[in-house]
Amino acid sequence: MSELELTINHRIAAPREKVFEAWLSPQMLSKFMRPPSTTGNARVTNDPVKGGRFSIVMVTPEKEIPHAGTYLAIDPHSHLSFTWESPHSLDDSVVTVDFAEAEAGATEITLRQVKFRSEDSRDGHIKGWTTILEALEKSLA
């Protein structure tokens, strides 16, 4: 079986430092880490240091979806890497998020995730991460 992965690119009209810091702030994570089917905030706890853990409980009208992980790398304002424990990805799934200054006051995000249970799961994560990046952009506007 080949390893399933995804890559999503998204430009946000906000400085790279502000976009990066949003990924480490529980208050900001609660605003943008949510599934497409809800507008309510997630419940978030995190310890944003290498080896630190995070927990994100996304809430839909039907259920709660727990996510967790461990920070593997935190390179201020340029790179994050963490494990992604989700009901729809494999236990050793890893997400990397790279932040590049696209132009003054704008950030290009490249998000990659590897290891999914199925193509359907990967495709669902593409939709989910796209929604999350759009919600991040709105949260920073």
Side-chain angles (χ1 to χ4, degrees), residues 52-92:
R53 297 275 301 160
F54 64 85
S55 169
I56 300 167
V57 179
M58 298 177 183
V59 181
T60 72
E62 303 81 35
K63 61 184 173 184
E64 294 187 350
I65 309 166
H67 298 77
T70 300
Y71 290 104
L72 303 173
I74 300 176
D75 299 323
H77 311 131
S78 64
H79 177 81
L80 286 175
S81 178
F82 47 87
T83 61
W84 187 249
E85 301 160 18
S86 151
H88 304 290
S89 58
L90 296 174
D91 289 343
D92 53 353

Side-chain angles (χ1 to χ4, degrees), residues 16-31:
R16 184 171 64 158
E17 293 81 6
K18 187 175 181 179
V19 176
F20 179 88
E21 293 299 328
W23 282 83
L24 301 181
S25 161
Q27 294 79 17
M28 287 300 295
L29 284 166
S30 72
K31 292 179 183 180

